[in-house]
Amino acid sequence: MAGVAGAAAAAGRSRGRGRARAVRTGGRAGRTDGQTDGPVSLPAAPPPPYPSSRRASPAQRGGRGLSIDGRSSQSERSLAASPGARPIGARGGGADRRGPARGGSRAPRTSAALRPRPDRHRGRERRVRAASGTVRQRLPRSGPASRTELALKETMSSGGAEDDIPQAERKTVTDFCYLLDKSKQLFNGLRDLPQYGQKQWQSYFGRTFDVYTKLWKFQQQHRQVLDNRYGLKRWQIGEIASKIGQLYYHYYLRTSETSYLNEAFSFYSAIRQRSYYSQVNKEDRPELVVKKLRYYARFIVVCLLLNKMDVVKDLVKELSDEIEDYTHRFNTEDQVEWNLVLQEVAAFIEADPVMVLNDDNTIVITSNRLSETGAPLLEQGMIVGQLALADALIIGNCNNQVKFSELTIDMFRMLQALEREPMNLASQMNKPGMQESTEKPARRENPHKYLLYKPTFSQLYTFLAASFKELPANSVLLIYLSATGVFPSGRSDSEGPYDFGGVLTNSNRDIINGDALHKRNQSYKEMHCLHPGDLYPFTRKPLFIIVDSSNSVAYKNFTNLFGQPLVCLLSPTAYPKALQDQSQRGSLFTLFLNNPLMAFLFVSGLSSMRRGLWEKCQDYLRKINRDIAQLLTHSRSIDQSFLQFFGDEFLRLLLTRFIFCSATMRMHKIFRQETRNYPESYPQLPRDETVENPHLQKHILELASILDVRNVFLENTLDDY
């Protein structure tokens, strides 16, 4: 990925993760123009991530979210009482240590634009670097006792003689400086939290949000004194709000609860609406402009995850103007890096191959997260297992694929396929008939996820082991691999789990022409490769594997050693030449698993569709999914592993979409040139009862007829075998 390091540096590295305490950005934010800011309602403290844990949540410790009058809102009280989601160490949110990580390996790269990092430039609020990073530094008694006294001397001198300042106002500034210092020390310490594991981060993150809650409330209550005596600037208020938004974002990464993306969006949106950074461009300080640019990059990522594409386009335009002004005024060296950020996000939002249009030709934004009607319902008589998807590793290591903030388009699509639609907690509690004291929001857990972008083998194995160790009983670990294929160097006398190659892991070496790997000796196996045999130890627990690679068939040679449920869904190893040019915009196989109708339109040669026809086809596709579920559960020869996984909504939807994908490609004229154009699975599905079932083929032809593309499919497919 050319320029990744530079773009990451330009976009900012938010390294923190953890559990958020809720605040409420209400009150009157003082403005230099004499106007006031309106309130922004935010939800309550997140619930304790582990319902069985004895640790009290921030709300239980008495630190509820704040409103204008200091009381907790209805949504805050309800959310604080609701059961918590299991925390995750989401890969995009781990601390990106460039040195050795815990366990002796370097950490894989994370979402660069969103990792918290200490400010590199010192302004009015310069930091005191403590030796431990978590306590205030003690300075010699002969000098100023703390940064607080430095601030007092520096900021109060403009307001008159120091002795003339009332003691109460002096104490207000002192307390504010202490809270500001403490919040920065705790925030910067988030980068030292373990990237994997689900318990270590809780207490530290709770303390961090406690301090930010106090800091936000304090600056609201004492705005006039801080304006007059401390010289509080609006961009400083914006930076506090931005960090709270980052905390909410990282709480989403830790818990995979999409509702907290809405809270991060609320803070970022308030910063933009209140123009907290509007005065930055008037100051001759490039480091302040960089803060503003990083804020835009973080806001864009949150909007992408929420599918707010209209907002993304506005933000990209504003960011482009800000970058142009920044580079023109300061003639900096990071212009290329920031322009790369713009190019990446522009390519990312244009990656979808099909547009859905309204009658006025505006683009319809479609969401691909699991909705209430998304997965086919289990009907009476269906005998399935009770396993639940608990953990998922989403790994991206494809060369030259569209990405933004170290999240490839394939990773982004699979991330959304493993999440439920975000729920607005406040509006949910305001529905008629909801009782505050007795009714609780429905428990809506998403699987715990790690997002690993180009990890090394040791990093990948470390995260795998952590997920395996903490996997609850009757739960499933999902591994999604989107990576370049690694093929065996020569013929082997044996056919073991290390003789068929695998997928590429990051070797920190240059790759020539994409797939050509340097070989030390053909008698050795490729060491920078995840072989099927590397996953054998983890088959001691239920394992669901998806491989999207040019050598996915290597994972067809699995052996189920321990008798636990095990399924591998494998992409085609090659695509027809007419589709190969689209590989940079994401894999067709992953697109089928994320948005099967869009993939069906793409292989049918359609690039746009009216909204009414789209919704009609979606309804018909739901009917197809219901029929696929019946075919699969009524099959007499299907391997029981498929049925064991079919009880989980996410896995059920992935399995039905996989069968639809395989059946579509087997009926499509341009895919029938060679068998490697078809998806495969381990164990094999009974073809005549699933992917080549005449009833399913009839449905696909009917869908093609609705779209008027029946001519690209074969009518009598069974006669061709």
Side-chain angles (χ1 to χ4, degrees):
M1 204 78 208
V4 167
R13 307 183 188 281
S14 315
R15 304 190 183 186
R17 314 283 177 273
R19 184 173 58 130
R21 275 257 355 267
V23 302
R24 183 180 176 92
T25 61
R28 304 281 181 176
R31 299 175 63 119
T32 56
D33 54 9
Q35 301 179 21
T36 58
D37 295 324
V40 176
S41 282
L42 293 174
Y50 296 89
S52 60
S53 174
R54 299 296 182 184
R55 185 186 305 275
S57 70
Q60 292 168 335
R61 295 197 305 267
R64 291 197 184 278
L66 304 174
S67 62
I68 295 177
D69 55 6
R71 293 177 295 182
S72 58
S73 66
Q74 181 184 43
S75 62
E76 290 166 351
R77 292 191 295 270
S78 63
L79 181 56
S82 66
R86 297 184 341 76
I88 69 171
R91 173 56 194 86
D96 181 17
R97 293 166 165 264
R98 296 303 178 189
R102 296 178 189 267
S105 62
R106 282 183 52 191
R109 286 178 273 181
T110 60
S111 299
L114 296 169
R115 290 191 292 268
R117 72 191 221 179
D119 301 329
R120 293 184 176 181
H121 306 282
R122 295 189 179 186
R124 180 185 299 277
E125 75 289 15
R126 49 170 90 82
R127 292 178 291 117
V128 177
R129 297 182 179 273
S132 66
T134 58
V135 296
R136 294 205 303 172
Q137 185 182 29
R138 295 183 179 179
L139 300 177
R141 292 186 178 181
S142 58
S146 67
R147 176 227 178 264
T148 301
E149 293 192 8
L150 292 174
L152 287 171
K153 291 180 179 294
E154 180 180 341
T155 60
M156 291 186 176
S157 58
S158 60
E162 259 190 75
D163 295 338
D164 297 336
I165 299 174
Q167 185 64 29
E169 294 185 2
R170 181 188 296 272
K171 184 178 186 302
T172 296
V173 175
T174 301
D175 292 345
F176 176 77
C177 291
Y178 170 76
L179 288 173
L180 190 63
D181 284 343
K182 190 67 174 178
S183 67
K184 290 181 179 181
Q185 292 166 7
L186 289 172
F187 191 89
N188 295 336
L190 292 173
R191 56 183 168 167
D192 297 323
L193 295 176
Q195 300 176 63
Y196 45 84
Q198 301 179 18
K199 295 183 180 179
Q200 298 90 335
W201 56 274
Q202 294 180 62
S203 60
Y204 188 92
F205 199 94
R207 292 199 305 273
T208 304
F209 221 106
D210 281 340
V211 171
Y212 272 98
T213 300
K214 296 175 183 177
L215 177 63
W216 186 259
K217 181 179 179 181
F218 191 89
Q219 62 86 22
Q220 286 179 319
Q221 295 174 339
H222 304 282
R223 180 66 55 79
Q224 185 174 0
V225 174
L226 294 175
D227 284 346
N228 296 334
R229 299 302 185 184
Y230 181 80
L232 184 65
K233 301 295 181 69
R234 287 188 62 77
W235 66 261
Q236 293 174 299
I237 304 171
E239 188 174 8
I240 297 172
S242 178
K243 282 188 166 64
I244 296 174
Q246 292 177 56
L247 293 176
Y248 271 119
Y249 171 80
H250 293 298
Y251 185 74
Y252 154 73
L253 292 178
R254 287 282 184 176
T255 63
S256 194
E257 175 50 64
T258 47
S259 298
Y260 290 100
L261 279 175
N262 286 325
E263 316 317 329
F265 177 83
S266 296
F267 265 101
Y268 288 141
S269 181
I271 293 171
R272 181 169 174 240
Q273 292 172 359
R274 298 178 178 183
S275 303
Y276 279 137
Y277 286 117
S278 61
Q279 302 298 319
V280 164
N281 293 350
K282 297 181 180 180
E283 301 192 27
D284 190 22
R285 296 175 59 184
E287 69 274 11
L288 297 185
V289 182
V290 170
K291 290 178 184 292
K292 186 175 183 179
L293 299 182
R294 289 174 183 162
Y295 151 73
Y296 271 107
R298 296 181 179 112
F299 195 6
I300 288 173
V301 172
V302 170
C303 291
L304 284 174
L305 292 171
L306 288 172
N307 291 311
K308 296 181 180 293
M309 294 303 174
D310 293 338
V311 181
V312 169
K313 292 177 182 178
D314 292 339
L315 292 174
V316 170
K317 185 178 183 304
E318 293 177 18
L319 177 60
S320 178
D321 294 340
E322 294 289 344
I323 291 174
E324 183 178 356
D325 178 72
Y326 167 64
T327 54
H328 176 74
R329 290 174 57 202
F330 300 106
N331 192 24
T332 60
E333 299 178 355
D334 55 356
Q335 178 178 2
V336 175
E337 298 165 356
W338 280 110
N339 287 333
L340 178 62
V341 172
L342 288 175
Q343 295 171 14
E344 287 183 348
V345 69
F348 202 92
I349 61 180
E350 296 174 358
D352 285 346
V354 179
M355 293 185 298
V356 183
L357 302 175
N358 286 310
D359 293 337
D360 58 356
N361 289 331
T362 57
I363 298 178
V364 178
I365 306 302
T366 59
S367 176
N368 301 308
R369 287 188 170 94
L370 179 62
S371 62
E372 294 181 359
T373 60
L377 298 176
L378 294 176
E379 301 177 3
Q380 187 174 4
M382 291 184 176
I383 302 176
V384 297
Q386 301 299 315
L387 297 175
L389 178 60
D391 281 65
L393 272 77
I394 300 177
I395 299 155
N397 195 13
C398 283
N399 300 311
N400 303 320
Q401 190 176 99
V402 169
K403 69 98 183 175
F404 179 65
S405 187
E406 300 186 351
L407 185 72
T408 68
I409 189 65
D410 278 354
M411 295 171 66
F412 174 76
R413 286 170 175 165
M414 184 52 58
L415 171 73
Q416 295 213 323
L418 297 177
E419 290 184 345
R420 302 179 190 275
E421 279 294 337
M423 181 177 62
N424 189 314
L425 294 170
S427 63
Q428 190 78 3
M429 291 304 301
N430 291 331
K431 288 183 178 180
M434 292 292 285
Q435 299 178 8
E436 175 184 333
S437 58
T438 59
E439 298 289 340
K440 297 179 181 179
R443 188 184 181 108
R444 303 173 64 257
E445 285 193 356
N446 291 322
H448 157 226
K449 292 182 291 295
Y450 293 108
L451 305 176
L452 287 84
Y453 176 71
K454 293 192 173 182
T456 64
F457 175 81
S458 60
Q459 292 161 356
L460 195 159
Y461 226 60
T462 299
F463 282 86
L464 261 176
S467 290
F468 179 84
K469 176 184 177 182
E470 298 186 350
L471 193 69
N474 299 319
S475 297
V476 181
L477 172 61
L478 182 146
I479 302 173
Y480 170 78
L481 298 167
S482 170
T484 303
V486 177
F487 298 91
S489 56
R491 293 185 178 181
S492 175
D493 296 334
S494 62
E495 292 187 352
Y498 291 89
D499 296 320
F500 298 96
V503 298
L504 181 69
T505 57
N506 189 11
S507 61
N508 297 320
R509 299 180 301 180
D510 292 333
I511 300 176
I512 303 173
N513 298 326
D515 292 336
L517 300 176
H518 173 70
K519 301 289 184 181
R520 294 177 300 163
N521 190 313
Q522 290 191 353
S523 63
Y524 297 136
K525 310 300 181 187
E526 173 56 46
M527 63 185 297
H528 301 289
C529 169
L530 185 70
H531 298 269
D534 294 325
L535 298 179
Y536 276 19
F538 305 104
T539 61
R540 289 175 170 85
K541 295 182 180 181
L543 191 62
F544 194 98
I545 304 171
I546 302 173
V547 184
D548 194 339
S549 173
S550 56
N551 191 28
S552 60
V553 292
Y555 295 82
K556 190 178 178 180
N557 302 284
F558 249 102
T559 301
N560 193 341
L561 300 177
F562 304 102
Q564 292 292 318
L566 172 65
V567 164
C568 300
L569 305 183
L570 311 174
S571 72
T573 56
Y575 292 100
K577 293 182 179 179
L579 302 176
Q580 289 178 353
D581 294 339
Q582 303 294 323
S583 59
Q584 289 188 352
R585 300 171 71 178
S587 165
L588 178 61
F589 178 68
T590 296
L591 183 60
F592 262 105
L593 298 181
N594 168 259
N595 191 336
L597 180 55
M598 183 173 289
F600 189 88
L601 295 174
F602 175 63
V603 299
S604 301
L606 301 177
S607 59
S608 64
M609 171 177 287
R610 293 296 174 184
R611 182 172 187 169
L613 183 57
W614 171 271
E615 293 175 350
K616 179 180 178 181
C617 292
Q618 284 284 26
D619 290 338
Y620 193 79
L621 187 58
R622 280 189 280 270
K623 181 182 185 314
I624 295 177
N625 284 340
R626 289 194 297 268
D627 289 347
I628 291 175
Q630 291 181 349
L631 291 175
L632 195 146
T633 54
H634 294 164
S635 172
R636 297 183 177 181
S637 56
I638 194 170
D639 189 279
Q640 290 299 305
S641 290
F642 291 100
L643 299 180
Q644 289 290 326
F645 292 129
F646 210 68
D648 180 85
E649 280 186 290
F650 293 105
L651 301 181
R652 188 188 319 147
L653 192 58
L654 290 174
L655 286 171
T656 55
R657 287 175 174 176
F658 173 81
I659 293 174
F660 174 76
C661 169
S662 184
T664 299
M665 292 181 178
R666 290 172 186 274
M667 295 182 64
H668 202 289
K669 290 180 179 179
I670 67 172
F671 281 86
R672 293 181 61 82
Q673 299 170 1
E674 48 184 325
T675 57
R676 65 190 188 128
N677 292 336
Y678 302 150
E680 299 286 349
S681 68
Y682 171 87
Q684 286 191 355
L685 287 164
R687 290 184 180 180
D688 57 338
E689 295 179 343
T690 54
V691 296
E692 295 173 8
N693 182 277
H695 185 64
L696 176 56
Q697 292 176 341
K698 180 181 177 181
H699 279 323
I700 292 175
L701 290 176
E702 181 62 28
L703 179 60
S705 297
I706 296 174
L707 297 169
D708 197 22
V709 292
R710 189 160 179 158
N711 60 306
V712 304
F713 293 93
L714 295 171
E715 298 284 345
N716 301 315
T717 54
L718 289 178
D719 297 338
D720 298 331
Y721 283 94

